[in-house]
């Protein structure tokens, strides 16, 4: 599988979450993704970017294009150096929240993409990657 | 900071969201709209989301909050013009938008809102009904 790094986007403010949505839209559209696929990955990115900002204390998004034979996909990796997640299984469950949100961020975002990976340790930050294949 | 304009149309407030709102702007709209319902004595709120390319859980929660607050303040909220791909994505995300009335476009939304306002006014006039 070939990986091409496109760019990194800092996530330090709520305006940056808007910027994440715009960057993801731009690259998903440039890849020729359908409108519904674009909408799903932008929405998933918005949810995770908000977690990175609100719970992770800020971080960044790495955008990559994947080529696997004829298949192309967009991989988004969000990383922060925040407090980390102690119980990932619990955090993935719908309506679980430690903040004031709906608690749909992680589980909801997972439903909107083809591949979802989360790595987190208390005190060592969180790294979440999403892939949507075209 | 930008602001989303709130227009008074008859007995209703009309809000057309035309930009990709950041979270603080969405929170400001929620507060402004709730205050405007009281200060303009409006009986209905129409929120046009036809220009929105995505609605995530944050914006979904804002719409639910506005609908709940307006109900408490004796006004009806109708969300109009949601695009099909946005609606499908919201459902998959798990956002229910329960308790929110919807309409296909602003015209239909205004029609519904005016009918609901008339109904509630005639009920008020009838007294205990």
């Amino acid at each position: 599988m070939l990986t091409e790094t496109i760019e990194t986007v800092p996530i330090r403010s709520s305006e940056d979450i808007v910027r994440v949505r715009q960057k993801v839209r731009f690259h998903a559209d440039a890849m020729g993704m359908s409108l519904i696929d674009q909408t799903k990955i932008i929405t998933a990115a918005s949810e995770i970017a908000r977690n990175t900002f609100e719970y992770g204390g800020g971080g960044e998004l790495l955008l990559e294009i994947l080529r696997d034979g004829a298949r192309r996909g967009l991989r988004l990796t969000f990383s922060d150096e925040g407090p980390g997640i102690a119980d990932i299984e619990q955090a993935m469950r719908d309506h679980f929240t430690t903040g004031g949100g709906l608690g749909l961020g992680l589980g909801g975002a997972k439903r909107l993409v083809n591949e979802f990976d989360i790595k987190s340790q208390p005190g060592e930050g969180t790294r979440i990657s999403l892939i949507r294949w075209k | 900071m930008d602001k989303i304009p709130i227009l008074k149309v008859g007995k209703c407030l009309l809000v057309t969201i035309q930009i990709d709102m950041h979270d603080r702007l969405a929170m400001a709209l929620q507060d402004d709209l709730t205050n405007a319902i009281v200060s303009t004595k409006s009986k209905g709120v129409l929120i046009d989301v036809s220009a929105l390319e995505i609605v995530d859980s944050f914006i979904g929660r804002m719409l639910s909050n506005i609908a709940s607050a307006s109900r408490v303040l004796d006004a009806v909220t109708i969300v109009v013009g949601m695009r099909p791909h946005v609606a499908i994505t919201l459902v998959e995300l798990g956002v229910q938008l329960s308790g929110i009335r919807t309409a296909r476009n602003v015209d239909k939304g205004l029609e519904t809102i005016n009918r609901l306002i008339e109904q509630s006014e005639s009920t008020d006039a009838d007294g205990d009904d």
Side-chain angles (χ1 to χ4, degrees):
Chain A
M1 189 160 73
L2 288 166
T3 307
E4 182 194 340
T5 299
I6 306 292
E7 61 180 316
T8 57
V9 186
I11 304 169
R12 301 264 167 234
S13 67
S14 76
E15 284 87 349
D16 285 344
I17 302 173
V18 175
R19 212 158 298 130
V20 163
R21 295 199 286 257
Q22 289 164 349
K23 294 281 185 192
V24 174
R25 167 173 303 118
F26 178 83
H27 293 293
D29 185 43
M31 274 179 64
M33 258 190 212
S34 68
L35 187 57
I36 184 77
D37 284 351
Q38 284 185 36
T39 307
K40 285 180 181 177
I41 192 155
I42 297 164
T43 306
S46 185
E47 297 294 332
I48 304 299
R50 186 172 296 107
N51 280 8
T52 300
F53 174 59
E54 301 270 347
Y55 301 110
E60 64 174 28
L61 159 66
L62 171 68
L63 276 139
E64 293 165 304
I65 289 187
L66 307 179
R67 284 190 180 76
D68 184 14
R71 202 161 68 138
R72 293 175 80 216
L74 192 59
R75 178 162 65 196
L76 309 177
T77 305
F78 295 85
S79 50
D80 66 62
E81 286 164 10
I85 301 168
D87 187 342
I88 291 178
E89 207 178 304
Q90 183 186 45
M92 291 297 298
R93 220 171 292 149
D94 274 3
H95 309 296
F96 174 79
T97 177
T98 57
L102 290 176
L104 292 168
L106 292 179
K110 186 180 181 182
R111 284 192 289 274
L112 295 176
V113 295
N114 301 119
E115 292 175 41
F116 182 96
D117 183 60
I118 177 166
K119 286 192 177 63
S120 187
Q121 286 284 329
E124 288 175 22
T126 302
R127 195 185 162 87
I128 296 175
S129 78
L130 315 173
I131 301 175
R132 182 95 207 171
W133 294 102
K134 195 194 144 190
Chain B
M1 194 171 90
D2 300 326
K3 248 185 186 305
I4 308 285
I6 300 171
L7 305 176
K8 174 98 178 165
V9 180
K11 290 174 181 167
C12 304
L13 295 174
L14 173 64
V15 177
T16 305
I17 305 173
Q18 283 179 320
I19 57 162
D20 192 350
M21 294 186 292
H22 57 75
D23 295 357
R24 275 182 295 111
L25 187 55
M27 291 304 287
L29 174 61
Q30 188 179 310
D31 292 347
D32 290 350
L33 205 43
T34 312
N35 289 327
I37 292 170
V38 177
S39 65
T40 62
K41 300 187 174 66
S42 295
K43 303 291 275 179
V45 177
L46 209 60
I47 305 174
D48 181 5
V49 296
S50 60
L52 289 187
E53 292 286 353
I54 72 146
V55 173
D56 64 8
S57 65
F58 194 88
I59 303 294
R61 180 159 59 116
M62 176 205 75
L63 295 173
S64 291
N65 288 350
I66 291 171
S68 305
S70 70
R71 200 172 306 126
V72 175
L73 297 170
D74 192 27
V76 192
T77 296
I78 302 192
V79 172
V80 303
M82 188 174 288
R83 303 215 200 158
H85 57 270
V86 175
I88 291 168
T89 303
L90 251 187
V91 171
E92 262 183 59
L93 182 62
V95 176
Q96 311 270 329
L97 294 189
S98 47
I100 296 189
R101 286 175 176 274
T102 56
R104 292 288 284 279
N105 55 43
V106 173
D107 275 350
K108 295 252 186 258
L110 271 176
E111 225 175 85
T112 309
I113 233 165
N114 285 325
R115 200 181 56 236
L116 290 169
I117 292 171
E118 264 171 42
Q119 271 172 13
S120 84
E121 281 175 347
S122 67
T123 314
D124 288 350
D126 291 349
D128 295 329
D129 274 277

